[in-house]
């Protein structure tokens, strides 16, 4: 008995010396290595026919966990470091939605990441329209797609169609009114804030929630500048030269802060813009390849 | 004591129930795991519960179905059983019935656990659409029916095999092929499939009618997302499952009744 106990203790001691470096090396593995190779969805459908929904949820869970682990909320809330592997994330989300086209987490995550972080508006909207053929009761998908069409793609006709669809499904007056307002091509900042607040109110992932809060706060600053600009224009019959002119004339109490680290300015049309382009530095459109939505049909 | 009772008693003696109880401890983790979802916590809990039940039933169907007859022959129990006033067909069918009853009892137990877990999760995180309990029960029921069909195949393979491998791996092969048969058939009928050689297309169509179509028994997506069920399609699937199982059992009984039990 003593012999077994000594053997077990020796093995346990060696195991513990290996365990800590092992854990460290696992934590340092790149995302693609950690995630492993995801077989083609068709192969998974054939090999594990009864477990497609489970596989879809599992794959999405890995991506969401990865994204959550990248945000450094103590340093800059909502900021994702440059090392984020967006192409791999995009491919993974597409594969998961091919396995389970009903999974709302996939659409929600794709909308959060593809639109706001990598500016792939068309790709995200195509994915939402793909989801609408399955989740035909869900007002969130046309709501997201309507926002993308109006705010990013400037396609007000399609935006109105999507908001009408969201209004029909949810019976919410807001969407019906948004459908009308988008046709007028006005009030974009206010609409963006309305949209983001709706998105945030239903978000549960803390990283996504904080990321949305940063955007809402920044857009509130933009809205304050737009309001001051309109007052200036009405009273002085001329547009202000820059943001400082609004502060000097007393239309703004303080210089509004862009939480993305940029400086606000007026573009040639008098619209409020920021040098940050309302995104943390380092994320570019070209980081994610254009990949079409999965073909319809499971 | 009937062979059904002997089968059930044997399964309990083999501590299969202990294994199931141990595996069902995973249910305790499902409420916590489900909260990892951003927008569909209840749906994820349903996905996890139904997948876990499906996996446990599949393992039971493959191993219990594949091992019971073969082990009797291997241990020469069959000789003593067949000295009793029972025909071989009755012996085989009662072995099947015993395994099927055990599987049904397990499904009821795991189904109740699933309903409890999902109810708990849904009360904390109400889903956008109410849980379709009827679809959940239907998904569990049709999963059982699919497993009964697999047990019938396992019994068929056992009736001809002298080893453990054919019943177990043969049943796994039927599960894989049966799960993909509808997809292969849809592919053959698609525009891309029209470019295949006519012989391949004809062979694929014949195989589609011969191989069991297990995709029809998978109602998880209806249960998870509260999608409507088609009663007509369900009735057809039920009939298909029962008749296919009956046919496989008749073939198994015919083969077993002529088998040399040396």
């Amino acid at each position: 008995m003593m012999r077994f106990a000594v053997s077990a203790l020796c093995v346990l001691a060696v195991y513990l010396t290996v365990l800590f470096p092992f854990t460290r090396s696992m934590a340092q593995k790149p995302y693609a290595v950690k995630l492993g190779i995801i077989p083609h969805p068709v192969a998974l459908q054939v090999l594990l026919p009864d477990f497609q929904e489970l596989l879809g949820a599992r794959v999405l869970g890995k991506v969401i966990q990865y994204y959550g682990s990248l945000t450094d909320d103590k340093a800059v809330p909502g900021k994702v470091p440059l090392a984020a592997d967006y192409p791999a994330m995009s491919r993974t989300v597409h594969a998961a939605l091919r396995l389970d086209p009903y999974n709302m987490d996939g659409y929600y995550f794709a909308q959060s990441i593809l639109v706001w972080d990598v500016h792939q508006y068309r790709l995200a909207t195509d994915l939402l329209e793909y989801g609408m053929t399955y989740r035909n009761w869900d007002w969130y998908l046309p709501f997201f797609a309507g926002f993308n069409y109006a705010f990013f793609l400037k396609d007000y006709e399609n935006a109105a169609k999507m908001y009408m669809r969201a209004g029909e499904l949810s019976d919410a007056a807001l969407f019906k009114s948004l459908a009308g307002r988008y046709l007028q091509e006005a009030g974009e900042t206010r609409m963006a804030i309305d949209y983001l607040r709706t998105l945030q109110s239903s978000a549960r992932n803390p990283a996504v929630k904080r990321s949305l809060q940063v955007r809402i706060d920044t857009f509130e600053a933009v809205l304050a500048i737009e309001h001051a600009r309109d007052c200036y224009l009405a009273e002085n019959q001329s547009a202000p030269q820059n943001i400082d002119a609004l502060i000097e004339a007393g239309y703004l109490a303080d210089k509004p802060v862009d939480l993305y680290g940029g400086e606000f300015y007026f573009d040639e049309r008098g619209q409020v813009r920021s040098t940050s382009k309302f995104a943390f530095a380092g994320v570019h459109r070209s980081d994610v390849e254009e990949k079409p939505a999965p073909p319809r049909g499971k | 004591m009937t062979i059904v009772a002997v089968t059930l008693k044997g399964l309990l003696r083999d501590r299969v129930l202990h294994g199931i109880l141990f595996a069902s401890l995973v249910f305790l983790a499902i409420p916590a795991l489900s909260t990892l979802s951003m927008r569909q916590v209840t749906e994820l809990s349903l996905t996890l519960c139904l997948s876990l039940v499906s996996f446990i039933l599949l393992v039971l169907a493959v191993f219990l179905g594949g091992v019971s007859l073969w082990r009797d022959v291997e241990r020469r129990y069959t000789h003593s059983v067949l000295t009793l006033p029972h025909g071989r067909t009755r012996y085989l069918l009662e072995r099947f019935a015993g395994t099927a009853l055990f599987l049904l009892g397990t499904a009821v137990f795991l189904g109740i656990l699933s309903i409890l877990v999902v109810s708990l999760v849904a009360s904390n995180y109400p889903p956008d659409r109410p849980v379709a309990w009827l679809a959940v029960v239907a998904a569990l029921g049709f999963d059982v029916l699919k497993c009964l069909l697999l047990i019938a195949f396992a019994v068929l393979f056992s009736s001809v095999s002298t080893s453990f491998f054919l019943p177990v791996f043969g049943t796994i092969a039927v599960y894989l092929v049966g799960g993909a048969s509808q997809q292969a058939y849809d592919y053959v009928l698609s525009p891309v499939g029209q470019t295949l050689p006519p012989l391949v297309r004809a062979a694929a169509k014949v195989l589609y009618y011969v191989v069991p179509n297990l995709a029809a028994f998978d109602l998880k997506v209806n249960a998870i997302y509260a999608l409507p069920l088609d009663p007509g399609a369900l009735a057809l699937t039920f009939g298909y499952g029962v008749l296919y199982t009956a046919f496989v059992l008749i073939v198994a009984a015919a083969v077993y009744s002529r088998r040399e039990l040396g």
Side-chain angles (χ1 to χ4, degrees):
Chain A
M1 193 63 204
M2 188 65 184
R3 208 174 49 192
F4 288 119
V6 171
S7 306
L9 280 174
C10 288
V11 172
L12 188 64
V14 177
Y15 170 74
L16 288 175
T17 54
V18 171
L19 184 65
F20 294 109
F22 167 76
T23 311
R24 211 169 32 246
S25 80
M26 282 302 290
Q28 288 166 351
K29 272 191 175 180
Y31 169 63
V33 179
K34 261 192 210 171
L35 190 64
I37 295 168
I38 299 173
H40 193 277
V42 174
L44 289 174
Q45 283 169 346
V46 170
L47 285 174
L48 295 158
D50 280 350
F51 302 99
Q52 290 176 46
E53 295 83 9
L54 180 70
L55 287 170
R58 171 86 183 104
V59 170
L60 275 174
K62 277 200 169 196
V63 188
I64 293 166
Q65 191 186 3
Y66 164 74
Y67 180 73
S69 71
L70 287 178
T71 52
D72 184 359
D73 290 320
K74 282 182 189 156
V76 189
K79 180 172 182 177
V80 176
L82 308 183
D85 190 347
Y86 285 105
M89 287 165 73
S90 176
R91 278 197 303 274
T92 311
V93 170
H94 274 82
L97 289 174
R98 180 79 187 270
L99 285 166
D100 181 5
Y102 290 93
N103 194 318
M104 185 56 191
D105 280 347
Y107 300 109
Y108 185 78
F109 188 67
Q111 173 71 358
S112 303
I113 303 308
L114 293 176
V115 169
W116 294 111
D117 288 356
V118 278
H119 308 162
Q120 285 283 10
Y121 315 124
R122 173 56 64 187
L123 181 63
T125 308
D126 285 349
L127 205 56
L128 292 169
E129 291 191 24
Y130 164 76
M132 282 161 62
T133 60
Y134 292 94
R135 295 181 64 89
N136 54 13
W137 66 88
D138 191 342
W139 59 266
Y140 274 105
L141 299 181
F143 168 57
F144 293 159
F147 178 77
N148 291 350
Y149 273 124
F151 192 70
F152 296 115
L153 299 170
K154 309 296 176 197
D155 180 348
Y156 298 106
E157 195 181 335
N158 271 322
K161 274 185 201 164
M162 290 295 159
Y163 274 107
M164 278 178 206
R165 178 90 186 117
E168 283 165 14
L169 291 172
S170 66
D171 207 26
L174 171 67
F175 300 136
K176 289 170 186 170
S177 96
L178 278 176
R181 286 169 67 187
Y182 276 121
L183 284 173
Q184 295 170 2
E185 198 184 340
E188 288 176 19
T189 308
R190 180 74 263 166
M191 279 181 251
I193 293 168
D194 289 346
Y195 162 82
L196 290 165
R197 283 203 192 288
T198 310
L199 202 63
Q200 195 200 28
S201 68
S202 58
R204 291 188 52 254
N205 184 289
V208 172
K209 218 173 173 77
R210 280 190 287 270
S211 169
L212 291 170
Q213 188 58 51
V214 169
R215 194 164 296 280
I216 290 168
D217 291 344
T218 302
F219 280 13
E220 292 280 12
V222 172
L223 195 64
I225 298 170
E226 285 176 351
H227 181 67
R229 175 201 62 197
D230 294 344
C231 292
Y232 185 101
L233 191 63
E235 290 176 19
N236 299 289
Q237 309 302 320
S238 66
Q241 290 295 310
N242 49 38
I243 308 289
D244 289 337
L246 293 174
I247 299 167
E248 284 162 16
Y251 291 97
L252 280 174
D254 300 306
K255 192 164 191 175
V257 178
D258 174 9
L259 298 176
Y260 291 97
E263 289 284 328
F264 291 117
Y265 65 94
F266 291 118
D267 68 7
E268 63 282 1
R269 292 185 300 134
Q271 296 295 317
V272 180
R273 299 282 179 251
S274 171
T275 53
S276 70
K277 295 183 178 170
F278 305 115
F280 288 112
V283 177
H284 303 290
R285 181 185 167 85
S286 58
D287 285 347
V288 175
E289 74 259 49
E290 286 285 355
K291 182 177 179 182
R296 279 155 207 196
K298 227 179 157 184
Chain B
M1 190 182 281
T2 63
I3 296 166
V4 173
V6 170
T7 306
L8 287 171
K9 203 174 164 187
L11 291 171
L12 295 177
R13 197 182 52 229
D14 287 344
R15 311 222 167 143
V16 179
L17 204 57
H18 291 67
I20 293 166
L21 287 173
F22 187 71
S24 59
L25 286 177
V26 180
F27 278 101
L28 296 176
I30 287 177
L33 286 174
S34 303
T35 58
L36 295 175
S37 170
M38 294 193 296
R39 296 298 302 267
Q40 46 171 38
V41 177
T42 304
E43 287 88 341
L44 182 58
S45 72
L46 264 168
T47 304
L48 295 173
C49 284
L50 293 177
S51 300
L52 182 59
V53 174
S54 198
F55 179 71
I56 293 173
L57 293 183
L58 177 67
V59 170
L60 289 177
V62 170
F63 287 96
L64 299 186
V67 163
S68 66
L69 269 191
W70 167 79
R71 197 169 57 176
D72 284 358
V73 177
E74 184 73 10
R75 293 183 181 174
R76 300 183 186 279
Y77 290 168
T78 317
H79 297 85
S80 50
V81 172
L82 291 179
T83 56
L84 298 171
H86 295 309
R88 286 190 186 192
T89 300
R90 184 172 165 193
Y91 164 73
L92 181 137
L93 291 180
E94 288 202 25
R95 269 289 186 209
F96 169 82
T99 312
L101 267 179
F102 184 79
L103 194 90
L104 188 65
T106 306
V108 169
F109 168 66
L110 296 177
I112 290 170
L113 270 184
S114 298
I115 288 169
L116 288 175
V117 167
V118 173
S119 302
L120 175 73
V121 174
S123 64
N124 289 320
Y125 301 95
D128 289 343
R129 306 174 90 192
V131 178
W133 293 112
L134 190 65
V136 174
V137 173
L140 291 166
F142 277 83
D143 222 6
V144 171
L145 198 58
K146 179 193 73 190
C147 287
L148 294 186
L149 181 52
L150 289 175
I151 293 175
F153 267 104
V155 167
L156 172 64
F157 292 134
S158 287
S159 67
V160 293
S161 173
T162 53
S163 82
F164 158 84
F165 294 100
L166 177 63
V168 169
F169 290 102
T171 311
I172 291 173
V174 169
Y175 168 74
L176 293 177
V177 173
S181 68
Q182 183 65 46
Q183 208 173 3
Y185 184 67
D186 291 342
Y187 176 76
V188 168
L189 292 185
S190 71
V192 183
Q194 297 302 313
T195 59
L196 293 170
L199 191 66
V200 173
R201 288 210 323 264
K205 282 180 187 172
V206 170
L207 271 177
Y208 174 72
Y209 291 111
V210 173
V211 169
N213 186 341
L214 299 183
F217 298 93
D218 185 8
L219 302 179
K220 284 193 203 68
V221 77
N222 299 73
I224 295 166
Y225 298 106
L227 303 181
L229 294 168
D230 178 357
L234 290 187
L236 282 173
T237 305
F238 181 78
Y240 173 84
V242 169
L243 292 172
Y244 205 122
T245 305
F247 181 77
V248 174
L249 284 175
I250 290 168
V251 174
V255 171
Y256 196 64
S257 63
R258 291 167 194 278
R259 180 171 170 175
E260 285 285 330
L261 294 168

